[in-house]
Amino acid sequence: MSKIHITDLDPEPEFDLFYFLSICGEERMESGVLEKMEELWNKWVPLLKAYKLSPDVGPRAKGHLLLHLDKQVEDDVEAVWQDSPADGLFAHNLAIALVMSAAADMVPELDAGGCAPVVRPSKDLQRAFKRLGLVWNEEGTVNRQYAVFTPLPYAGGCPICHLKDSCLKSTTRNQGAKA
């Protein structure tokens, strides 16, 4: 039996148009596309799951935040992509914005770094993932396309991140290289 307690959290992400556009690499968007994205956002927010995984219970217990969107969102993105690749890319970016907005709301320090460092979960944490119907992949992902797994409370950025060697934004990857 896992030694990790799973606490359901209630994320309340708010849509931030400027953040969404920055993820899309756009400065503006047609109103028709924006209306489609608003419909998807409203449909997907209830499909966002958030958990605190911790060896201890209580609001001050240290642990990890796990957020993910249900597989239905992945299926929705694929359906939009099949209908219109351009809209599919917007839908993909919207799902990313939703998960990251929820993560930043729950761990405000993530905004400063612009990312949520991924840590390698212990065997107990991996067993907790299984209890939630998720599987950890050694690449640093779970079996949901739109997910975040990061320390809670915030515990550092690039230096603790499992993905630092492959991340384009990593501040630690090239520290040992000579100029």
Side-chain angles (χ1 to χ4, degrees), residues 78-141:
E78 182 61 29
V80 172
W81 204 288
Q82 293 301 317
D83 189 46
S84 164
D87 287 355
L89 184 57
F90 282 127
H92 168 75
N93 289 331
L94 182 70
I96 292 169
L98 197 160
V99 170
M100 290 306 295
S101 293
D105 185 52
M106 301 181 109
V107 185
E109 298 87 350
L110 296 179
D111 263 348
C115 72
V118 176
V119 292
R120 179 183 294 272
S122 66
K123 293 291 183 194
D124 284 332
L125 283 166
Q126 290 181 42
R127 283 191 281 277
F129 287 174
K130 285 183 183 178
R131 289 179 13 220
L132 294 168
L134 301 171
V135 177
W136 168 261
N137 300 306
E138 284 304 311
E139 304 83 45
T141 63

Side-chain angles (χ1 to χ4, degrees), residues 163-176:
L163 305 175
K164 66 184 170 204
D165 291 336
S166 61
C167 178
L168 296 174
K169 294 177 78 175
S170 177
T171 60
T172 61
R173 185 180 52 217
N174 296 321
Q175 283 183 343

Side-chain angles (χ1 to χ4, degrees), residues 145-158:
Q145 185 171 357
Y146 305 105
V148 169
F149 175 66
T150 196
L152 181 69
Y154 186 75
C158 296

